Amino acid sequence: MRWYHPLLFALDAERAHRLTIRMLALAGPRTGRVETTPRLAQVVAGLHLANPVGLAAGVDKDGEAVAGFFGLGFGAVEVGTLTPLPQPGNPKPRLFRLVEDRAVINRFGFNNGGIDAALARLPATRAGVTGINVGANKDAADRIGDYARGVALAAGRADYVTINISSPNTPGLRDLQHGSALAELLAAARDAAAMTPLFLKVAPDLDHAQVDEIAKAAIDHRIDALIVSNTTVTRPHDLRSANAGESGGLSGAPLGAMARARLADFRGATSEQLPLISVGGVGSAEEAYARIRGGASLVQLYSALVYEGPGLARTIAQGLDGLLARDGFTNVAEAVGTAP
Ligand SMILES: Cc1cc2nc3c(=O)[nH]c(=O)nc-3n(C[C@H](O)[C@H](O)[C@H](O)COP(=O)(O)O)c2cc1C
């Protein structure tokens, strides 16, 4: 625990989060610089990253503090989820800390100020790779149309665009992960993205047949990378925190085993035909390194920041550099997928 943690932890979780974003927005690039070394540099889907530690979507939904997050050392920042129209999300409280489990449960439901406002805020020059994650409005009559609109608006403005069909907090959204809806969505999004790299973010709650179906559809529709994974609707039996019974998506340490398992499943199902981005329970350099050796080209994180504080991206990047050097790798790409 750092000195400011008792202060932030005394606030309810959503207020603490707002305060953190506001402080980082004010500090901007003065927070520091993107962490890099020749060993940490990595290319994913043609994008050049200074290091393979990314900020997961949902932290800076409206893109208010992009410069501040790069200053904390991240090699990539994913803004969003953004929807075509602004929407308030679900009633509060909707964000819960599970302190004893080093986890978080959220049921935000895509609260955001709309994609236009976020794009207007996005700085033209940025210190690192910046993605925009898009979703559908809760009341959209045509959900696939919402994705296509979001992708078209973000393409060309962001370095990559992610279509997020894996949030558990918009009823019915995850149905887009299957069958003809998935094929239709990917075709529309690919078309709308034009030359901008297009990533797909999936849920961890998938069986082998579902993994195979998504992997095949992603390859068929020329998706540039898969982000594995979003939060889980399952609840491991050994959760200890009082908030464990809250509904919503669970993230943080207890998601780690599932995220590792889905990474392995997608690695098998995609046979290196597209890059994988591992997210879920990453909180240390050792864990980031294990994901990379397990087939991830890049890792992302969110929940561990709540418990470890703003120095975490830099700590992980520096630790990773040391682990790569220890094992004789001259760059990240050499280490990707080296675990059996
Ligand atoms: C409070 C909160 C809000 C989130 N919002 C989004 C979101 O808007 N879009 C999205 O794709 N993922 C969202 N996520 C999921 C994260 O990007 C990430 O996939 C998940 O939390 C697992 O990573 P972690 O264990 O490092 O937190 C959110 C997660 C949390 C905890």
Side-chain angles (χ1 to χ4, degrees):
M1 284 258 168
R2 320 269 159 148
W3 66 266
Y4 48 80
H5 271 184
L7 297 177
L8 286 175
F9 275 52
L11 298 173
D12 89 80
E14 186 165 347
R15 272 172 183 245
H17 181 73
R18 278 301 315 151
L19 185 63
T20 307
I21 294 292
R22 245 182 251 141
M23 289 189 315
L24 276 171
L26 279 175
R30 287 189 299 279
T31 41
R33 269 187 296 163
V34 177
E35 188 69 31
T36 195
T37 66
R39 237 189 317 265
L40 288 173
Q42 166 70 319
V43 182
V44 180
L47 302 169
H48 291 257
L49 292 107
N51 71 62
V53 185
L55 183 72
V59 182
D60 190 7
K61 284 182 188 269
D62 288 298
E64 297 168 276
V66 172
F69 281 106
F70 283 124
L72 295 181
F74 285 100
V77 169
E78 189 166 313
V79 170
T81 296
L82 292 160
T83 53
L85 299 175
Q87 62 178 26
N90 291 324
K92 295 176 188 173
R94 52 197 180 172
L95 177 62
F96 306 90
R97 299 183 195 98
L98 280 66
V99 178
E100 294 83 353
D101 301 302
R102 295 183 92 74
V104 172
I105 289 176
N106 92 84
R107 50 171 180 267
F108 269 117
F110 289 171
N111 59 311
N112 75 105
I115 192 163
D116 290 328
L119 288 175
R121 208 175 276 131
L122 198 66
T125 50
R126 302 177 293 262
V129 167
T130 309
I132 301 267
N133 174 310
V134 301
N137 278 111
K138 187 179 175 203
D139 299 327
D142 172 13
R143 284 206 166 142
I144 293 180
D146 265 23
Y147 280 95
R149 202 164 312 135
V151 172
L153 288 167
R157 300 289 309 283
D159 299 312
Y160 71 88
V161 184
T162 299
I163 44 178
N164 172 21
I165 50 172
S166 47
S167 167
N169 300 314
T170 297
L173 194 85
R174 289 175 159 206
D175 295 344
L176 292 170
Q177 294 188 125
H178 317 291
S180 58
L182 176 64
E184 200 187 320
L185 169 73
L186 296 185
R190 181 68 274 174
D191 205 37
M195 299 303 284
T196 301
L198 181 64
F199 297 0
L200 175 68
K201 183 163 178 181
V202 301
D205 311 316
L206 300 170
D207 63 26
H208 287 291
Q210 291 169 320
V211 167
D212 288 346
E213 183 183 9
I214 293 172
K216 184 176 181 319
I219 293 164
D220 286 351
H221 289 91
R222 293 174 290 112
I223 297 302
D224 295 285
L226 283 172
I227 305 182
V228 186
S229 70
N230 213 309
T231 56
T232 177
V233 293
T234 66
R235 296 289 182 269
H237 296 299
D238 53 356
L239 293 178
R240 292 180 297 143
S241 310
N243 283 334
E246 292 292 343
S247 66
L250 172 74
S251 56
L255 177 59
M258 275 183 95
R260 275 192 296 271
R262 288 303 85 72
L263 172 66
D265 294 345
F266 274 101
R267 182 183 175 193
T270 55
S271 349
E272 298 180 18
Q273 293 180 73
L274 80 179
L276 302 173
I277 296 168
S278 185
V279 48
V282 175
S284 66
E286 289 73 17
E287 188 60 33
Y289 188 49
R291 303 293 173 97
I292 288 168
R293 297 201 60 172
S297 295
L298 170 68
V299 300
Q300 292 181 332
L301 57 94
Y302 183 158
S303 301
L305 275 179
V306 174
Y307 297 106
E308 303 295 333
L312 184 61
R314 203 174 301 289
T315 304
I316 292 181
Q318 289 172 353
L320 202 49
D321 190 56
L323 291 166
L324 291 164
R326 181 197 69 189
D327 294 344
F329 294 114
T330 53
N331 57 53
V332 178
E334 273 180 15
V336 173
T338 47

